[in-house]
Amino acid sequence: MIVKRLENETKTALGIIIPDNAAEKPDQGEVLAVGPGKRNDKGEFVALNVQVGDRVLFGKYSGQAVKVDGQELLVMREEDLFAVVEK
């Protein structure tokens, strides 16, 4: 699947602005595309449980980063996801 990272807040709840170099990589993203799934031991496709448009949680270093049209995207497997936040 292809995931676009969502930007973190640049301000805390108390109004303190976090500089870019101190901010961590966001661990949430939006699913932009999904494949047909993966094959099981019998060779049959097992469909993914995520859909295009889902908001997901993943590890900070999950997936493989690629640039497409100047935009950084992540290519990852469903096993790399922790949860679906919004459908």
Side-chain angles (χ1 to χ4, degrees):
M1 80 184 89
I2 306 294
V3 176
K4 176 184 173 189
R5 282 189 196 269
L6 297 176
E7 296 300 319
N8 279 345
E9 294 290 324
T10 58
K11 198 186 296 188
T12 66
L14 297 174
I16 299 171
I17 297 175
I18 301 170
D20 288 339
N21 59 353
E24 295 184 5
K25 285 184 175 181
D27 54 2
Q28 289 189 33
E30 179 183 353
V31 178
L32 299 179
V34 294
K38 70 180 211 177
R39 294 190 184 269
N40 62 16
D41 295 336
K42 298 177 184 177
E44 303 165 346
F45 272 110
V46 177
L48 298 176
N49 292 321
V50 294
Q51 301 172 4
V52 173
D54 286 355
R55 189 172 186 174
V56 294
L57 290 175
F58 50 86
K60 293 184 190 317
Y61 304 106
S62 297
Q64 177 66 39
V66 296
K67 280 203 173 195
V68 178
D69 296 331
Q71 185 177 28
E72 186 173 324
L73 303 174
L74 294 171
V75 178
M76 59 178 49
R77 300 177 306 171
E78 189 176 33
E79 293 85 24
D80 294 335
L81 299 180
F82 295 147
V84 175
V85 179
E86 292 177 7
K87 284 226 170 239

